[in-house]
Amino acid sequence: CETTNDILGPFYRKKAPIRKDLTFEGAKGNVVSIKGNVYADDCKTVLKDCLVEIWHADAAGNYDNDSPKFLHRAGWVTDKKGAYSFKTIFPGKYLNGKLYRPAHIHFRVRCEGYQELISQIYFQGDPHITEDPWASQKKAVQRILPIQPVDIKGGFEVRFDIFLKKK
């Protein structure tokens, strides 16, 4: 039950708003719900009051790096059951040198008494995973997640449980 780390990447922004819904009028792309729980490294103790931050590119592969709206960026604090959830759009891909990065969502998780986790999730079936220098690493295998359709409008759900190591 280990959640492995990944790169922070160049597009992290401090002070993203605390919100669960990252969708907005005019946003392009399929809606995806990201849900999970944060656990201690004993694999069963839920952790409340952990800050879970996410950020990702828009459907066209662009990051909002400077607008005051912090598009596709948010944080949320886990509840007493260790649960978190975000509603956003499925991220697009972008060129990284000569290769496309697979669709991914960045995570940064902080919780009192536990090591900070910086990670990313990827999605099963993405053809760019095998060539990506980060997604193709053996330690990323458990973070390549299935996408579950949830409605007739093209909405999806992805479950990502997070396990933090004690300091």
Side-chain angles (χ1 to χ4, degrees), residues 50-130:
C50 300
L51 177 61
V52 179
E53 292 180 273
I54 68 166
W55 66 100
H56 60 83
D58 66 15
N62 301 306
Y63 281 88
D64 173 10
N65 293 321
D66 51 21
S67 90
K69 293 182 179 179
F70 282 82
L71 301 177
H72 312 297
R73 298 170 182 277
W76 194 254
V77 177
T78 57
D79 65 18
K80 64 183 179 181
K81 295 180 182 178
Y84 74 90
S85 67
F86 294 99
K87 179 181 173 186
T88 190
I89 56 99
F90 197 79
K93 301 175 184 190
Y94 56 89
L95 275 175
N96 181 37
K98 294 181 180 182
L99 301 172
Y100 276 95
R101 290 268 1 248
H104 61 281
I105 297 177
H106 295 266
F107 279 75
R108 184 175 186 177
V109 185
R110 289 174 277 184
C111 197
E112 185 77 29
Y114 291 84
Q115 294 178 24
E116 177 182 69
L117 175 72
I118 295 172
S119 200
Q120 296 180 40
I121 60 171
Y122 306 97
F123 306 99
Q124 287 180 0
D126 191 315
H128 297 102
I129 287 174
T130 57

Side-chain angles (χ1 to χ4, degrees), residues 7-78:
I7 60 166
L8 180 66
F11 303 122
Y12 175 75
R13 290 177 65 190
K14 294 179 182 178
K15 300 182 181 178
I18 300 296
R19 61 182 173 196
K20 292 173 76 165
D21 189 345
L22 287 74
T23 61
F24 54 91
E25 189 173 332
K28 295 180 178 162
N30 291 69
V31 173
V32 60
S33 293
I34 310 295
K35 299 178 179 186
N37 291 78
V38 178
Y39 295 93
D41 54 6
D42 68 1
C43 309
K44 60 185 176 182
T45 303
V46 294
L47 299 176
K48 65 178 184 171
D49 300 326
C50 300
L51 177 61
V52 179
E53 292 180 273
I54 68 166
W55 66 100
H56 60 83
D58 66 15
N62 301 306
Y63 281 88
D64 173 10
N65 293 321
D66 51 21
S67 90
K69 293 182 179 179
F70 282 82
L71 301 177
H72 312 297
R73 298 170 182 277
W76 194 254
V77 177
T78 57

Side-chain angles (χ1 to χ4, degrees), residues 122-124 144-148 157-159:
Y122 306 97
F123 306 99
Q124 287 180 0
I144 301 171
L145 305 173
I147 304 166
Q148 302 297 323
E157 182 176 293
V158 174
R159 178 142 192 105

